[in-house]
Amino acid sequence: MADLLLRGARVIDPFQGLDEVLDVAVSRGRVSEVGKGLSGEGREVLEAEGLVLSPGFLDMHVHLRDPGREDEETLESGLEAAVRGGFTAVCCMPNTDPPLDNAPLVEDLVLRARGLGLADLFPVGCVTRGREGKELAEMGLMFASAARVRAFSDDGDPVVDSGLMRRALQYVRRFGGVIISHPEDVSLSRGGQVNEGRVSFALGLRSIPALAEEVMVARDLLLAEETGARLHLAHLSTAGSVRLLREAKARGVRVTAEATPHHLVLSELDIRDYDPVYKVNPPLRTPEDVKELRRALADGTLDAVATDHAPHSPEEKEREFDYAPFGVVGMESAFPVLYTQLVEKGELGLPVLIERLTLGPARALGLEPPDYGEGVRPGARADLVLLDTVTEWVIDASAFASRGKNCPFHGWKVRGRVVLTIKGGKVVYRAPDYRWSREQGEKVRERT
């Protein structure tokens, strides 16, 4: 593992409150020096002037399909996609086959991930055994296991039984865990394909009302308030949910929440010609909902951006709209899409976006050093991402490391590109059309 010097990058580190042009040296897996005018002697020098260096991102909501559907994603392809997207840590959801509802299963997953040496893996354990919604899973044993599971969810489905959800919240409070809610009242959403509104009417597709999400958000906020447990709301999509969240935070409820890039950027108006690449759950909502989600992300009501990365095989996703599965891939397109649509348009500062991809999800999960979040400081584990926010490029889903190519942003012209990802001091991703010289530290940027 060669010593590195990243020279002259704008270092944005939400963990240290740092935003300054600096040199950063990496040695033996850790950040060894941070300062100005550091020597490049004996180091591979990467001239990073004009680039942005930040802690590696944390995606708290991905579906890696492993075990059970390795035709759609494997642990290796999913973690390779993560580091290409700048994520050095990801949380995988438990709706696998079999579901992640016991300690041996999550321990095996973590051990296999460590063997790959790409991104850290933090499995999310099931709330209920087998995700059947009947009895609690072995949450305490998963927390006490070598996998140290901190978050629990039946994501993909809600915990319908309110009494069971209440007991789950009471239980995880004992050891500081967090319940991730998939807020959906299936009695209101069952059979729906798109948002209830002008598009469902125009296309003649069965609809999912905003109320299907908001009813469950309200229930889980009340349960969290009553139990005092930590609750995280996944993939919020409506202005009504944001209002409920904002009011609950004002009352002191221990709640955090995320939004996805596709809900922050796309609306129901993007659904054209029954293209199933836009079929997601919760569905794409109205432009007014998108506007409110963006406002909430900017003011901190929403704590994190999470991709809800959901790969599907082409044979399944390209069925006609009614029969195609919900979900899009997102790890390799998240930063460029958010940078282009939110930062370049002046709706969000770059430091805020980076905070929502690093510190925000870490706080939501209760992740602290040494597991995640050491930042860019001497002695910290070198989990870093280098970003080019200038060069324009086109997203090509066919070139993704993920086995899933179901990306609604394929073909989009964007800025904000991951050019280098470092995990534990090791370069785990280097953009193929960037090259740095060892001798002079001269950066050579070539289009290939």
Side-chain angles (χ1 to χ4, degrees):
M1 190 183 303
D3 290 355
L4 296 174
L5 179 65
L6 302 160
R7 187 145 63 193
R10 177 187 174 190
V11 179
I12 300 178
D13 177 7
F15 297 97
Q16 312 298 318
L18 184 65
D19 185 350
E20 188 175 354
V21 174
L22 293 165
D23 303 338
V24 175
V26 174
S27 178
R28 298 182 179 180
R30 296 196 169 269
V31 175
S32 55
E33 291 182 87
V34 178
K36 296 181 183 292
L38 300 184
S39 171
E41 186 175 353
R43 293 165 167 160
E44 179 183 2
V45 179
L46 305 180
E47 286 294 340
E49 184 180 354
L51 303 180
V52 174
L53 183 71
S54 88
F57 302 150
L58 166 62
D59 192 340
M60 64 182 301
H61 191 148
V62 305
H63 299 271
L64 296 184
R65 309 301 194 207
D66 189 344
R69 286 303 305 268
E70 289 84 353
D71 59 314
E72 295 185 329
E73 195 80 289
T74 65
L75 197 56
E76 184 170 9
S77 66
L79 296 182
E80 179 70 32
V83 297
R84 288 196 187 190
F87 296 95
T88 57
V90 298
C91 300
C92 60
M93 286 294 163
N95 58 337
T96 51
D97 185 14
L100 305 180
D101 66 355
N102 63 79
L105 202 53
V106 292
E107 285 179 337
D108 174 71
L109 209 56
V110 169
L111 283 174
R112 288 198 288 132
R114 286 175 185 163
L116 295 170
L118 293 167
D120 286 329
L121 185 70
F122 299 103
V124 175
C126 291
V127 173
T128 67
R129 192 182 301 275
R131 296 180 62 250
E132 294 179 346
K134 297 177 181 175
E135 58 180 324
L136 293 183
E138 299 171 346
M139 292 189 287
L141 292 177
M142 287 189 276
F143 172 76
S145 74
R148 290 292 309 276
V149 177
R150 301 163 178 78
F152 302 88
S153 180
D154 278 0
D155 185 64
D157 293 297
V159 177
V160 173
D161 187 317
S162 299
L164 197 59
M165 185 64 158
R166 184 189 187 203
R167 287 199 295 278
L169 287 160
Q170 290 170 331
Y171 189 70
V172 299
R173 188 185 177 191
R174 298 177 187 174
F175 55 84
V178 58
I179 295 292
I180 299 177
S181 166
H182 170 102
E184 177 183 2
D185 185 324
V186 294
S187 69
L188 293 167
S189 65
R190 186 174 292 116
Q193 304 292 315
V194 296
N195 183 50
E196 184 174 273
R198 68 190 94 171
V199 172
S200 65
F201 179 77
L203 298 181
L205 292 169
R206 287 172 292 176
S207 62
I208 301 173
L211 206 59
E213 176 177 302
E214 293 159 2
V215 163
M216 199 61 92
V217 166
R219 184 203 73 170
D220 288 346
L221 287 171
L222 288 171
L223 291 173
E225 187 168 20
E226 190 261 350
T227 60
R230 291 172 54 220
L231 173 73
H232 179 78
L233 297 167
H235 43 55
L236 292 190
S237 68
T238 78
S241 293
V242 170
R243 176 179 60 78
L244 291 165
L245 171 65
R246 189 173 276 125
E247 291 170 356
K249 285 192 167 186
R251 296 198 304 274
V253 178
R254 300 175 71 194
V255 59
T256 53
E258 71 192 35
T260 72
H262 47 277
H263 287 111
L264 288 162
V265 171
L266 303 172
S267 78
E268 61 178 354
L269 302 182
D270 290 291
I271 302 173
R272 309 181 191 92
D273 302 327
Y274 301 92
D275 186 344
V277 79
Y278 296 104
K279 183 176 176 179
V280 292
N281 187 26
L284 300 177
R285 302 292 188 180
T286 68
E288 293 74 25
D289 290 312
V290 174
K291 184 177 180 181
E292 185 59 16
L293 288 177
R294 292 183 178 194
R295 191 167 78 91
L297 187 69
D299 70 18
T301 302
L302 287 169
D303 305 85
V305 174
T307 67
D308 198 4
H309 175 85
H312 293 290
S313 68
E315 295 76 19
E316 290 183 329
K317 190 62 177 175
E318 293 173 7
R319 295 174 184 166
E320 61 182 286
F321 204 97
D322 272 354
Y323 300 103
F326 292 99
V328 297
V329 294
M331 286 193 285
E332 292 170 82
S333 58
F335 182 77
V337 166
L338 293 169
Y339 181 82
T340 304
Q341 294 294 316
L342 302 186
V343 178
E344 283 217 314
K345 293 183 178 180
E347 295 190 41
L348 199 69
L350 179 57
V352 176
L353 175 58
I354 290 176
E355 193 273 346
R356 303 292 187 262
L357 288 164
T358 54
L359 179 59
R363 282 179 172 165
L365 291 165
L367 279 176
E368 295 179 346
D371 295 317
Y372 178 81
E374 295 186 67
V376 188
R377 59 174 176 78
R381 189 173 63 191
D383 294 351
L384 307 167
V385 59
L386 193 62
L387 307 161
D388 177 354
T389 58
V390 176
T391 306
E392 200 170 67
W393 63 290
V394 176
I395 294 174
D396 179 6
S398 69
F400 283 177
S402 171
R403 292 192 173 185
K405 312 302 178 189
N406 45 305
C407 175
F409 307 113
H410 171 70
W412 279 36
K413 189 176 289 185
V414 292
R415 287 194 176 88
R417 185 180 187 189
V418 174
V419 296
L420 193 78
T421 304
I422 299 172
K423 179 76 187 78
K426 175 186 172 186
V427 175
V428 289
Y429 174 67
R430 189 186 298 246
D433 51 352
Y434 273 73
R435 182 161 56 86
W436 291 268
S437 114
R438 285 173 178 272
E439 293 77 15
Q440 302 298 322
E442 177 187 2
K443 182 177 68 175
V444 182
R445 295 168 56 176
E446 297 178 342
R447 305 299 299 175
T448 57

